[in-house]
Amino acid sequence: MTVSMRIGTRKSTMALAQTEEIARRLSAAAPELNVEIVKFEPVGDRDQTSNLLRHGGKGGAFVGEIRNAVRSGALHAAMHSLKDMPGNEDTPGLVIGATLVRDPPTDALVLREGVTLEDLRRSRGEGFKIGTNAVRRAAYIRRLFPAIEVIHYRGAADTRVRKLDEREMQQLPGGGEVGPADALIMARSGLERVGLANRIACDFSPLEMLPAAGQGIVAVECAANDWETRRYLALIDDPAAHLSCDAEREVLWVLNGHCNSPIAAYSMISGHEMSLTASVLDEAGGHFIEVTRVGPADRPRELGRAVGLDLLDKGAAEIIERSRPQHDL
């Protein structure tokens, strides 16, 4: 008997590649499944100029519409890049039914033609513009290249690289434009998904640029009471990725950050132990608070909670609040 499963996704090249992998894995694990991919263009993709806060942060901009379709029953499941899923708010009625094997979680540097890594290192970034929309990446890149100019830069992975190559100006949320960029900071996993790994000029180690919580993990969300869908998704769930998901997102929950909080978190599992490092970054003042703990791998939320509380003890709440926008952008 054929069983249908409708999975929602953003329509970008990267999102479709991730969802197609989910479909392949489900079909291999359960041949009776007929997986249909349903494409969405959420407001965060339609509007690539405004600050994400205008649309309710990452949750409202990228996952809200697809989540509503799951809640209404129009979809059985939804594909998300885990780092785009808000970690500081409840998702009533929904659960993460599966996480795929984690892709490389690190960030990478992409350069336009005519610019070299040696140019940036020699000049400490002076005279160059680097594009990112993440406070976390901006804070870390200023550590590596103190004189560089960081400019607002949004868009799908392949779109951002095209804009870089064509020296296209980037529209600003409040009007006007900035650029063109000389370089971009992007997730290595995203570049790999869209076939642009050859553009990577430098991989930043987690010590140089701690990844965002959940970076490199593809998550599949479904209704909490849809037991048939949950049973199928469990067939493709990677236990290690799910443990890391729980640990890193617990840090976000404890810190109660906003949509673009200056928070990083990354966990690694070795045998029965998990190490978790998280940081909170004061982009303006150059102040970094970082905590590392090791604990049992099968108790990820407890480890994440302990790390989050350590960060709060060191003053993380003040930094997060200072970075919180005071008005609608």
Side-chain angles (χ1 to χ4, degrees):
M1 182 179 69
T2 300
V3 178
S4 296
M5 182 180 292
R6 289 166 56 85
I7 302 179
T9 177
R10 295 160 67 185
K11 60 189 293 186
S12 70
T13 302
M14 182 172 69
L16 288 173
Q18 291 171 328
T19 312
E20 286 162 2
E21 181 177 346
I22 292 168
R24 285 193 298 271
R25 293 185 180 222
L26 283 170
S27 296
E32 72 274 15
L33 273 182
N34 177 30
V35 180
E36 178 186 354
I37 296 174
V38 183
K39 303 174 188 177
F40 285 72
E41 189 175 24
V43 64
D45 290 328
R46 298 194 302 271
D47 176 3
Q48 296 190 3
T49 300
S50 299
N51 191 293
L52 295 178
L53 293 168
R54 180 181 295 278
H55 307 301
K58 284 186 176 181
F62 296 124
V63 305
E65 295 169 55
I66 306 177
R67 278 177 161 174
N68 288 340
V70 176
R71 289 191 181 100
S72 72
L75 297 173
H76 296 94
M79 188 290 299
H80 305 297
S81 292
L82 186 63
K83 70 180 182 64
D84 290 335
M85 298 176 67
N88 63 319
E89 59 188 46
D90 284 321
T91 53
L94 300 179
V95 294
I96 295 176
T99 54
L100 300 191
V101 175
R102 191 171 205 167
D103 291 325
T106 51
D107 290 296
L109 183 70
V110 177
L111 302 174
R112 67 167 174 81
E113 186 177 359
V115 177
T116 68
L117 181 58
E118 183 55 35
D119 292 335
L120 293 182
R121 286 174 172 161
R122 185 174 54 251
S123 66
R124 303 174 78 233
E126 186 172 1
F128 293 97
K129 296 181 176 67
I130 193 162
T132 181
N133 190 47
V135 174
R136 173 189 63 86
R137 287 173 175 159
Y140 275 112
I141 205 65
R142 287 193 175 102
R143 254 185 160 185
L144 297 170
F145 307 113
I148 205 161
E149 180 182 351
V150 179
I151 62 174
H152 170 85
Y153 222 86
R154 278 190 50 210
D158 50 338
T159 302
R160 275 179 278 168
V161 175
R162 177 188 59 76
K163 288 180 178 180
L164 174 74
D165 290 342
E166 295 179 0
R167 308 297 311 278
E168 188 174 319
M169 301 294 284
Q170 181 76 12
Q171 302 302 307
L172 292 173
E177 56 186 16
V178 68
D182 301 296
L184 303 174
I185 315 171
M186 302 177 67
R188 165 174 264 282
S189 57
L191 290 163
E192 290 181 348
R193 290 279 184 188
V194 298
L196 290 172
N198 63 308
R199 294 299 306 273
I200 294 174
C202 174
D203 273 309
F204 298 116
S205 71
L207 287 176
E208 293 173 308
M209 189 172 292
L210 197 66
Q215 187 160 305
I217 297 178
V218 174
V220 193
E221 198 171 40
C222 67
N225 61 0
D226 184 352
W227 298 106
E228 182 177 56
T229 297
R230 293 182 68 170
R231 178 172 64 83
Y232 280 118
L233 292 181
L235 299 175
I236 65 169
D237 184 52
D238 180 70
H242 217 129
L243 290 170
S244 288
C245 162
D246 290 344
E248 293 168 27
R249 286 175 63 76
E250 188 70 14
V251 175
L252 298 180
W253 176 259
V254 171
L255 295 178
N256 188 30
H258 51 86
C259 76
N260 198 22
S261 290
I263 300 169
Y266 177 54
S267 59
M268 293 186 293
I269 297 173
S270 178
H272 297 294
E273 286 190 331
M274 172 185 285
S275 66
L276 173 62
T277 299
S279 64
V280 176
L281 325 165
D282 183 352
E283 184 191 0
H287 183 48
F288 285 62
I289 302 174
E290 187 171 285
V291 169
T292 298
R293 274 184 177 250
V294 177
D298 61 353
R299 296 165 69 179
R301 293 188 185 277
E302 290 184 25
L303 182 60
R305 195 172 310 125
V307 167
L309 291 172
D310 283 349
L311 288 167
L312 289 176
D313 285 343
K314 292 176 179 290
E318 181 182 347
I319 294 175
I320 293 170
E321 193 59 33
R322 194 157 58 239
S323 70
R324 192 183 303 275
Q326 300 303 308
H327 53 82
D328 183 21
L329 299 178

